[in-house]
Amino acid sequence: MSPVGQDSSSAAVVSGVDAVRLVEYEDERQLSDIMALVDRDLSEPYSIFTYRYFLHNWPGLCFVAKAGERTVGSIVCKAEREVEDDPLTGYIAMLAVDTSFRKHGIGTALASKAIEAMRDLGCEEVVLETEVTNGGALNLYTKLGFSKNERLMKYYLNGVDAFRLKLWFR
């Protein structure tokens, strides 16, 4: 059985320990929960201004996984053109799932929902970076069709290299 289904309100549902709903980012009330998840999971420190840059400019590309009222996962994305005539490119900036809710398909469901939203928006590709040592992220994105596009030496503040991964739609 697939971990992702639909409930009567058509919000994606992930089955596992508890029913988990995926909802679109609404407003600043969700910001502290998103920041707490990302700060625990990702090696890069982000300021509140970085979060607001993504969440205020592309709220329709940012999703939250909720178990009841508890935020257990989030994905923060954007879509833009480098220059005016370039194709629209999606970018996954942050994906985090609470450790006690991992291995239930929540990360896959969040990424899939964001990718679908970027495709619907007209993006021709989706790009992201992840640490070369992050096997979980590499597996997740490979299963979703991403390919390693480039190795970025000492990309992160902790000195770890990154892979730039891409998913092409066309």
Side-chain angles (χ1 to χ4, degrees), residues 1-16 18-23 64-68 104-106 108-110 113:
M1 179 203 275
S2 172
V4 180
Q6 296 293 324
D7 71 7
S8 59
S9 66
S10 77
V13 176
V14 179
S15 61
D18 292 315
V20 175
R21 299 173 290 111
L22 303 185
V23 297
V64 177
K66 302 286 278 183
H104 295 288
I106 296 169
T108 299
L110 284 165
K113 188 151 185 73

Side-chain angles (χ1 to χ4, degrees), residues 7 13 15 19 22 52 59-60 67 78 82 86 95 97 102-104 116 118 126 139-141 147 156 162 164:
D7 71 7
V13 176
S15 61
L22 303 185
R52 285 184 173 147
K78 70 177 183 173
E82 282 285 319
D86 278 358
L95 171 62
V97 176
R102 291 185 185 163
K103 305 290 184 197
H104 295 288
E116 178 183 325
M118 287 184 260
V126 179
N139 287 335
L140 181 149
Y141 291 119
S147 298
Y156 291 102
R164 176 161 295 134

Side-chain angles (χ1 to χ4, degrees), residues 20-96:
V20 175
R21 299 173 290 111
L22 303 185
V23 297
E24 195 172 295
Y25 174 78
E26 294 172 3
D27 57 40
E28 288 264 334
R29 291 174 294 168
Q30 296 167 306
L31 183 56
S32 62
D33 289 343
I34 292 169
M35 289 177 63
L37 272 174
V38 172
D39 289 348
R40 267 193 310 265
D41 281 358
L42 302 184
S43 61
E44 290 294 285
Y46 296 106
S47 76
I48 193 166
F49 303 109
T50 302
Y51 290 97
R52 285 184 173 147
Y53 167 74
F54 287 97
L55 297 170
H56 288 252
N57 289 307
W58 298 277
L61 296 179
C62 302
F63 300 92
V64 177
K66 302 286 278 183
E69 292 304 309
R70 181 176 170 198
T71 299
V72 298
S74 70
I75 189 163
V76 176
C77 307
K78 70 177 183 173
E80 63 182 0
R81 295 168 173 36
E82 282 285 319
V83 293
E84 189 175 323
D85 293 331
D86 278 358
L88 192 61
T89 297
Y91 180 74
I92 297 175
M94 305 166 208
L95 171 62

Side-chain angles (χ1 to χ4, degrees), residues 90 92 111 115 118 125-128 137-138 140-149 164-169:
I92 297 175
I115 291 164
M118 287 184 260
E125 65 185 15
V126 179
V127 180
L128 64 96
L138 291 168
L140 181 149
Y141 291 119
T142 300
K143 288 178 184 175
L144 290 172
F146 283 81
S147 298
K148 292 176 186 169
N149 182 254
R164 176 161 295 134
L165 304 176
K166 284 192 177 185
L167 174 66
W168 291 271
F169 296 137

